Amino acid sequence: MIRLSPGPFDPAEIERQLRSSHSAIGAVVSFVGQMRDFNDDRPVTSMYLEHYPGMTEKALAAIVAEAEARWPLLGVEVVHRVGDIALGDTIVLVAVASRHRREAFQACELIIDYLKTQAPFWKREQTPEGARWVESRSQDEQAAASWHEGCRTLDPTCSDHG
Amino acid sequence: MRLKVLYFASVRERLGCGEEPLELASNLPLRVADVQALLVQRGGAWADIFGGTRLMAAVNEVLVKPDHHLMDGDVLAFFPPVTGG
């Protein structure tokens, strides 16, 4: 399930539901991103998350479909906040269920790497000096690009893991 | 060719514009990069933003590259590199 949440949500509750959704599930891997009180060495007091209604949901669905095409998954939950966000709030949950741990770990990592570079969200931070738009990071782009190279898969014959 | 053009986040703020219809006289096939070049000609912040390289584009809600060909009625969106997650 993919959901954009205008208010706080409980990642533990969503993970609990995912775990009990299928009796064949043997592994659940979750990534939880939350709002911290600094960025680039400056204090941050709150945040606003802009998105592109319609496209954001489509982009997330395409990313989940990519993970489901690569690995045999038993369930995927992606929840992302939009709008005003307070310190300590959960911004994003990616939870992946599968029979065995490896595909859950890898699918979870691919989904968050792609989400950070392809899903239209923009963070605007409030700092003591005023508001500023967060800049994208080149290491996020590199992480996402490493999945295109096709070697970060379960294929044991691939020697070019990075 | 008629397009709807959308701007998001810092691009929208700097331009003071979130959405506009764009009527293009050309009957030739147009690419996203051609629209970008037209917007540069407006000068000021438009030239700064659309003349730069750190810009993403989507057509009908799907990410595209600058050489993507546009069709009449397309919704073209320009925005800065995304920062979700």
Side-chain angles (χ1 to χ4, degrees), chain B residues 1 3 5 7-8 16 19 25 30 36-37 45 47-49 51 53 56-57 60-61 63 66 68-69 72 80-81 85:
Chain B
M1 180 187 286
L3 301 172
V5 187
Y7 308 102
F8 287 94
E19 175 179 339
L30 280 176
Q36 219 170 319
D48 293 344
I49 290 167
T53 52
M56 293 175 84
N60 303 330
E61 304 184 343
L63 284 181
H68 179 89
H69 279 91
D72 189 46

Side-chain angles (χ1 to χ4, degrees), chain A residues 35-40 42-47 87 124-128 132 134:
Chain A
M35 198 199 142
R36 59 172 179 252
D37 65 357
F38 70 92
N39 193 23
D40 291 335
R42 279 208 235 156
V44 178
T45 52
S46 65
M47 185 182 273
L87 276 184
R124 190 169 183 270
E125 294 174 337
Q126 202 65 48
T127 74
R132 62 175 183 186
V134 174

Side-chain angles (χ1 to χ4, degrees), chain A residues 49-55 58 80 91-92 112 115-124 133-136 141, chain B residues 6-13 54 56-63 75-85:
Chain A
L49 250 162
E50 181 171 330
H51 74 293
Y52 179 172
M55 179 176 170
K58 270 193 198 174
H80 203 295
I91 298 173
V92 61
I112 190 64
L115 184 155
K116 279 183 163 284
T117 51
Q118 296 179 12
F121 292 103
W122 302 275
K123 290 184 181 127
R124 190 169 183 270
W133 291 97
V134 174
E135 296 283 321
S136 65
E141 283 156 31
Chain B
L6 307 177
Y7 308 102
F8 287 94
S10 58
V11 170
R12 182 196 63 243
E13 259 189 18
R54 289 183 60 73
M56 293 175 84
V59 172
N60 303 330
E61 304 184 343
V62 176
L63 284 181
V75 178
L76 169 60
F78 288 110
F79 42 82
V82 301
T83 55

Side-chain angles (χ1 to χ4, degrees), chain B residues 5 7 15 17 19-24 35-48 50 78:
Chain B
V5 187
Y7 308 102
L15 298 174
C17 176
E19 175 179 339
E20 64 173 323
L22 208 59
E23 178 109 40
L24 303 160
V35 175
Q36 219 170 319
L38 281 170
L39 296 174
V40 168
Q41 290 172 15
R42 292 177 173 178
W46 296 86
D48 293 344
F50 294 99
F78 288 110

